[in-house]
């Protein structure tokens, strides 16, 4: 996969992992469209700020029209709410599904013809170890990531015929605003972005960035006993 000279779009690029993706792709010579609901928050030199709300079809269509030669799509925009499944707001859960799951679906669907026209390219979906691990204090987030993982696998099959690769990126806790209140070891957003781009360049379909995500996936054959019996 060549990055130099290609156009890339990163959703949720105003901070955290999305900002790191935009910077790393720019370092590799891509023309980077850094998307956010409030593009005025994007101040990094070397990227092109663009408005895009992954839950708003009008802004998605506008982005498709503006970016005519896209080769790399990074679905990073996400949201999370902390609450017990017994007390969580279902409106919050719907928002998590709208952004994390359906937002990824909508943006990928909209840009698929552009990617095909430009030789196939690649879609990078920012997933999570929570794709495989239910979280008592963030059930809606984990469910949305599980759905996003399933969608990523379906999209990989659907896009294969047009030459578009789909790369799923899983990680545990990252030092971002999203996990600011989590008292666990964290890695940096830059580590996540660089690992993902290495995976893209070497032809991987899935990147497990940290030891936590690798441990969680390895436990799946015995997930109830290995992941939930002592929690």
């Amino acid at each position: 996969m060549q990055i130099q000279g290609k156009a890339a779009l990163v959703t949720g690029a105003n901070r955290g992992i999305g900002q790191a993706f935009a910077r790393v792709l720019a370092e590799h010579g891509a023309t980077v469209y850094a998307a956010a609901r409030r593009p005025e928050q994007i101040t990094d030199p070397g990227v092109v700020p663009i408005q895009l709300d992954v839950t708003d079809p009008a802004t998605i269509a506008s982005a498709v029209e503006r970016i005519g030669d896209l080769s790399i799509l990074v679905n990073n925009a996400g949201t999370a709410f902390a609450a017990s499944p017994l007390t969580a707001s279902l409106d919050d859960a719907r928002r998590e599904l709208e952004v994390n799951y359906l937002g990824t679906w909508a943006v990928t669907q909209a840009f698929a013809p552009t990617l095909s026209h430009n030789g196939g390219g690649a879609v990078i979906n920012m997933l999570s170890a929570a794709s495989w691990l239910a979280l008592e204090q963030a059930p809606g987030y984990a469910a949305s990531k599980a759905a996003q993982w399933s969608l990523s696998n379906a999209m990989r099959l659907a896009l294969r015929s047009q030459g578009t690769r789909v790369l799923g990126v899983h990680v545990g806790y990252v030092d971002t605003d999203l996990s600011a209140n989590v008292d666990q070891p964290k890695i940096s957003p830059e580590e996540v972005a660089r690992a993902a781009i290495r995976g893209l360049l070497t032809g991987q379909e899935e990147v497990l960035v940290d030891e936590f995500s690798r441990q969680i996936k390895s436990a799946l054959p015995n997930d109830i006993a290995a992941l939930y019996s002592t929690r």
Side-chain angles (χ1 to χ4, degrees):
M1 178 73 199
Q2 181 179 340
I3 297 177
Q4 177 75 35
K6 301 295 186 179
L9 170 66
V10 182
T11 66
N14 56 313
R15 59 185 178 179
I17 296 173
Q19 184 179 49
F21 262 114
R23 289 172 175 174
V24 172
L25 285 164
E27 287 174 8
H28 280 79
T31 298
V32 179
Y33 293 88
R37 287 180 297 167
R38 297 177 58 188
E40 68 275 8
Q41 295 179 341
I42 298 170
T43 59
D44 279 9
V47 305
V48 181
I50 184 171
Q51 184 182 26
L52 195 157
D53 180 341
V54 301
T55 68
D56 180 2
T59 66
I60 296 172
S62 177
V64 171
E65 184 176 352
R66 179 173 177 181
I67 308 170
D69 62 347
L70 189 72
S71 294
I72 302 169
L73 168 62
V74 181
N75 287 307
N76 167 76
T79 191
F81 299 95
S84 162
L86 301 180
T87 58
S89 162
L90 294 186
D91 286 339
D92 288 347
R94 291 186 186 95
R95 178 65 180 171
E96 288 165 320
L97 286 168
E98 286 285 344
V99 175
N100 303 343
Y101 169 50
L102 294 176
T104 293
W105 197 338
V107 174
T108 304
Q109 194 176 73
F111 276 100
T114 304
L115 292 167
S116 178
H117 179 73
N118 286 285
V123 176
I124 301 175
N125 288 341
M126 192 61 231
L127 303 171
S128 171
S131 303
W132 308 309
L133 178 66
L135 302 174
E136 183 181 354
Q137 294 305 318
Y141 174 76
S144 71
K145 286 297 179 178
Q148 190 185 22
W149 176 49
S150 178
L151 173 67
S152 298
N153 294 331
M155 284 293 188
R156 182 176 296 112
L157 298 174
L159 293 171
R160 187 171 288 164
S161 63
Q162 70 173 43
T164 301
R165 293 170 47 204
V166 175
L167 172 65
V169 182
H170 298 267
V171 67
Y173 297 107
V174 185
D175 191 11
T176 65
D177 293 346
L178 203 65
S179 62
N181 296 320
V182 177
D183 185 19
Q184 295 287 343
K186 304 171 188 177
I187 65 173
S188 71
E190 290 73 21
E191 289 179 81
V192 178
R194 293 191 186 282
I197 297 306
R198 284 195 301 272
L200 179 66
L201 292 172
T202 56
Q204 297 181 52
E205 293 188 325
E206 188 171 74
V207 172
L208 309 182
V209 179
D210 59 353
E211 182 59 26
F212 183 78
S213 59
R214 290 187 286 271
Q215 289 177 351
I216 297 302
K217 189 172 187 186
S218 68
L220 288 182
N222 302 291
D223 59 333
I224 299 299
L227 298 178
Y228 301 117
S229 61
T230 60
R231 289 179 179 267

